[in-house]
Amino acid sequence: MEKDEIHLRRLPAAAPWGPHAGSEFHGVDFLPEDLNEAPEETGMRVNKKYSCLPAEEKGIHIINIRAIEDIGYDQHESTLLNSLSKNPDADCKYGLYFRDGKRKVDYILVYHYKKSSAGRTLTRRVHHNDSSARSTKQDQPLPGKGVQLEMGESEPHVDYHEDDKRFRREEYEGNLVEAGLELERDEDTKIHGIGFVKIHAPWNVLCREAEFLKLKMPTKKMYQINQTHGLLKKINSVIQKITEPIQPKVAEHKPQTVKRLSYPFSREKQHLFDLSDRDSFFDSKTRSTIVYEILKRTTCTKAKYSMGKGEGRKKETTLLNKRRKCGKYGITSLLANGVYSAAYPLHDGDYEGENVEPNDRKLLCEEWASYGVFYKYQPIDLVRKYFGEKIGLYFAWLGVYTQMLIPASIVGIIVFLYGCATVDENIPSMEMCDQRNNITMCPLCDRTCSYWKMSSACATARASHLFDNPATVFFSVFMALWAATFMEHWKRKQMRLNYRWDLTGFEEEEDHPRAEYEAKVLEKSLRKEHKHKEKHRYFPEETANKWRQRTDKEKLTWKDRFPAYLTNFVGIIFMVGLTFAIVFGVIIYRISTAAALAISSTPSGRSSVRVTVTATAVIINLVVIIILDEVYGCIARWLTQIEVPKTDKNFEERLIFKAFLLKFVNAYTPIFYVAFFKGRFVGRPGDYVYIFHSFRMEECAPGGCLMELCIQLSIIMLGKQLIQNNLFEIGIPKMKKFIRYMKLKRRRSLDHEEHMKKKQRYEVDYNLEPFAGLTPEYMEMIIQFGFVTLFVASFPLAPLFALLNNIIEIRLDAKKFVTELRRPVAVRAKDIGIWYNILRGIGKLAVIINAFVISFTSDFIPRLVYLYMYSENGTMHGFVNHTLSSFNVSDFQAGTAPNDPMDLGYEVQICRYKDYREPPWSENKYDISKDFWAVLAARLAFVIVFQNLVMFMSDFVDWIIPDIPKDISQQIHKEKVLMVEVFMREEQGKLQMLETWKDKDKKKGENCNNHSPRLSRSHSGSLSSCHSYPLDV
């Protein structure tokens, strides 16, 4: 046989030759050139499907004519050319269907392959789809997968690692075929070195798995949904007419008056379901979910080098062999080990371009994933239909949260406008701005800072009133009740969605163990087995078998995980300490920068010292927070991985807890410092508190720290939303997409013919970003929820900025899911999981924090105390003077007095500072005064009253609003009653049929008895048949 010749041959059924003998393989490959030594070389036909070799295989000149006849091509040249001129890609809708154009592609497996140096021609298109393939015995060899070399020949160089992956793929795909799936391989793609396995689930497999998964499917029975009557009906109709322009134009979003009764699918009760159109009975989301479940539980347990024979095997191969003795490799393990590089369901088609067929993806892009429809409601039912319940619940929650921000934003704007309207009537700020009040304040730093006039802080005092006014207290109470109402509203919305999506009664079953967990358990069992063999080297076989059965039930205990738990504890403590250290470093920066700017000789420079220091410090904090957010995300994932959680759900919950804890501390530590610690431990003139004996602790402004807290909160919140949430989400995917495009462009320039071909659907989807889960999406919204609720007393405009961000965020996430990500596997879920508990925790914490912000950070309580205890005329006149203490400049410590005491133009004897202390002429000078204790008692009393009152009101809201809407509970009850009626009618029908058959049986029996004996003897067979009827109910 010449070098450039390839013949298609038929292998005999009982020809167990080659290294694959006994392996579980199916499919078709072109045979290698040295196959002519195999016995009984005849024309080959397997699965009645052949794929044409690609044009790039230049080494093919002769093809067996008999094989062409088998394929169905006519020997006439014109017919052959006509058949080859057809575009097969158009028939299969460019990858959405198999090559026959009938079977839909439900899932895709992607793998990397290398051409073997032994001269083999790899498979281009392989079909695992015929029923004969599934009935083939597993010990039959797969033609063309490899040839055993003759004893005298030298073994060619083989990459054992790649060969091992290939054999595991072949075994796994063979097991998938055994499970009933139909496969088709394609390596003739525009992406060189990448192969695709298309998977189709036939009808019987879909029915079987739907029954296993207890999927609720719509039955033939339809019932009327309870409608409102009277005034409520008129109000609902008016609301529908008003909101019609903002409703998405999708069929799933229209209000329904009838609903199909749903029931867990059962093959024995197929007559209950509407199976008139089997192709659409299971939608693409359900089909991909079913296939993914099969992929997860289907395992491969052996490969080419399992026995470990031969020389020159590498250590990594030996390790794989050890694991393969007991290990089971599902799709998660195969992806983790690099056997497959990706696995994903296909998108429904293109979402843009001319002559694009209508599909759900295109509809979602037009009515949901577009900034032009930002004012419309989300088509949540269509989102659920396309992406599954888990993603649908996320977007439903985000929509409810955004809607609830509208009233909070309106009230926040009203509070802010109230502050603007009353700023000129605020007596304390007017006293501070009055130049006639000759109040000289003590220096803000040692030596370089001089005395200053209180009136120079006029702008800060007026700005503080915008956020520190009586309306702020009302807004804090309102936001606490708002958070409770939001949680209750979401629970009710969630129940409505559960009813609409047929999730009532759904319970999540325990997930499959993760690949890493199985590997760890296997490693533990191997260690125990090794120790057991060392101790009991001469044990009988029965005892060894019992030991092996015991190790099969091995699992990880807390002792196995103790090193990981210790690492987690130390790591989290270290990260929290690192956050505190960075905040401390920023404090040092603020103090040193304030001292340096105070040396400035220009009056304008001195007056803007506080604003400059605050703004630059907050920007530094923002940059550090953004960087540490990414670092902490990676560290939280690593800490969770070394714990080796058993299931994906456990992994996700532990990851969420660690990531939230670290990111919460990272985002809110600078804000907590300004709110509760800044200016609290300063000391007093002549006895200041120093850091490292050189840096004096910074003080709050005369108007209080609330204004600075507002600046800090607003810059961090807006910066995170603008940079991290939006620019990163837009910029990074665009950059990755551009890099992939440039790489592909460089490859395409090598082959112009390949470039001109239209890509298959699975090739296009492979170039999209893989879905990384919903944790990042939830996390940014939860952190934002904290900004909105925790410190809302200092920044009433926080809900407004959150609302504006979320309007963009919804469309941004929608566009990302529809156009930039591979289609995720649909996951059933009835709630948002651990995130709901985190939200409730933040809501409870917000009440406590706002109570402390109002009582300790703002001047609300000192003003009340002054108004009702110390004011002579019942007004706030004299409040500023009441909050200031006096200090005799002669009591400064040596080296701390100002270098220029005459900076104001006159000699200063007494300066003022903000505190409640005895004056220098008192017997107990500079001691804490009684006023301090009166204000402290009032503050603590306010915290206790506010916290308990608001908690009680929140719990009352929680109690008064039922979790399940009344109409939904009625509909659920109605469904149960209707289902009972359906089964009762079915039972009655069965009984009637049985009675009818019994009557017929009696009549026929009587007729048979009335026959003559001779006739009866001659027709004994007929007589016996009179009493036997097949009964199939």
Side-chain angles (χ1 to χ4, degrees), residues 713-869:
L713 184 67
S714 59
I715 292 179
I716 291 178
M717 179 183 176
L718 296 177
K720 272 181 67 67
Q721 289 183 351
L722 182 65
I723 297 172
Q724 195 172 24
N725 297 357
N726 292 331
L727 290 183
F728 280 13
E729 286 192 21
I730 297 173
I732 291 178
K734 294 286 184 187
M735 191 182 301
K736 288 181 178 178
K737 195 174 181 180
F738 178 75
I739 292 170
R740 286 196 303 270
Y741 171 76
M742 294 303 294
K743 286 181 180 178
L744 290 174
K745 191 176 180 183
R746 200 176 296 119
R747 288 178 184 174
R748 288 170 186 169
S749 60
L750 302 174
D751 196 339
H752 181 68
E753 292 181 7
E754 290 286 325
H755 177 63
M756 296 305 292
K757 286 166 56 180
K758 183 175 178 179
K759 276 189 175 182
Q760 303 286 336
R761 177 79 263 154
Y762 43 85
E763 294 178 76
V764 176
D765 287 2
Y766 177 72
N767 291 325
L768 299 176
E769 280 290 305
F771 175 63
L774 289 170
T775 301
E777 314 299 335
Y778 272 115
M779 188 67 71
E780 65 184 69
M781 288 295 104
I782 297 295
I783 296 294
Q784 184 204 82
F785 183 77
F787 282 123
V788 169
T789 54
L790 291 179
F791 297 94
V792 74
S794 62
F795 189 41
L797 296 179
L800 175 64
F801 289 113
L803 173 65
L804 297 176
N805 173 80
N806 287 5
I807 290 173
I808 301 171
E809 180 74 20
I810 289 174
R811 306 304 163 180
L812 182 65
D813 284 348
K815 196 171 186 66
K816 181 172 70 175
F817 272 83
V818 173
T819 65
E820 295 176 1
L821 294 181
R822 293 176 191 160
R823 188 174 182 178
V825 180
V827 179
R828 287 189 297 168
K830 61 187 300 185
D831 51 41
I832 59 175
I834 193 174
W835 296 110
Y836 182 80
N837 298 328
I838 293 175
L839 285 169
R840 284 189 67 87
I842 291 176
K844 300 293 183 185
L845 185 63
V847 177
I848 301 170
I849 290 178
N850 280 305
F852 277 95
V853 167
I854 292 169
S855 60
F856 285 91
T857 309
S858 74
D859 283 338
F860 178 73
I861 299 301
R863 287 173 185 172
L864 284 180
V865 171
Y866 176 78
L867 186 64
Y868 292 107
M869 292 182 63

Side-chain angles (χ1 to χ4, degrees), residues 1006-1018:
E1006 291 173 359
N1007 293 335
C1008 291
N1009 291 332
N1010 291 333
H1011 286 312
S1012 63
R1014 184 176 54 84
L1015 187 61
S1016 298
R1017 282 194 301 270
S1018 64

Side-chain angles (χ1 to χ4, degrees), residues 22 43 68 219 259 313 446 490 495 541 581 624 636 648 662 685 773 778 813 942 972 993:
I68 295 180
T219 63
K259 186 179 184 292
R313 303 291 188 251
D446 294 342
W490 166 244
M495 283 306 303
E541 186 65 25
V624 170
D648 287 328
L662 292 174
Y778 272 115
D813 284 348
F942 176 82
I972 294 172
M993 290 172 66

Side-chain angles (χ1 to χ4, degrees), residues 83-184:
S83 62
L84 290 173
S85 65
K86 292 181 180 178
N87 184 7
D89 293 338
D91 295 336
C92 65
K93 295 188 179 180
Y94 295 98
L96 287 173
Y97 288 82
F98 274 22
R99 305 300 293 180
D100 57 10
K102 296 177 182 178
R103 288 167 296 172
K104 188 177 177 62
V105 176
D106 298 319
Y107 218 87
I108 290 291
L109 300 179
V110 187
Y111 59 91
H112 294 270
Y113 69 89
K114 293 180 181 179
K115 288 188 177 181
S116 174
S117 58
R120 292 189 296 243
T121 304
L122 291 176
T123 305
R124 284 305 175 188
R125 280 193 174 85
V126 182
H127 304 262
H128 297 283
N129 47 27
D130 197 78
S131 58
S132 61
R134 289 193 294 274
S135 63
T136 308
K137 291 182 180 179
Q138 287 296 300
D139 58 355
Q140 243 183 307
L142 182 64
K145 289 295 181 187
V147 180
Q148 193 173 19
L149 295 170
E150 293 293 328
M151 296 297 294
E153 295 180 19
S154 61
E155 184 178 351
H157 173 71
V158 180
D159 187 344
Y160 294 110
H161 191 59
E162 290 298 323
D163 221 18
D164 183 78
K165 287 182 181 179
R166 183 164 62 87
F167 273 77
R168 283 159 71 182
R169 281 198 299 269
E170 289 166 351
E171 183 195 352
Y172 182 68
E173 289 163 18
N175 292 340
L176 291 179
V177 173
E178 281 293 306
L181 298 178
E182 297 177 359
L183 312 182
E184 185 178 78

Side-chain angles (χ1 to χ4, degrees), residues 624-665:
V624 170
I625 285 171
I626 291 174
I627 293 172
L628 286 184
D629 256 1
E630 303 302 319
V631 174
Y632 286 169
C634 299
I635 290 174
R637 181 168 289 276
W638 176 74
L639 290 175
T640 310
Q641 285 173 346
I642 64 174
E643 276 189 58
V644 197
K646 184 175 182 180
T647 62
D648 287 328
K649 185 180 180 182
N650 292 341
F651 181 88
E652 187 181 23
E653 288 180 351
R654 296 186 185 192
L655 173 63
I656 288 169
F657 175 75
K658 293 182 185 66
F660 173 73
L661 179 63
L662 292 174
K663 293 189 177 187
F664 182 89
V665 172

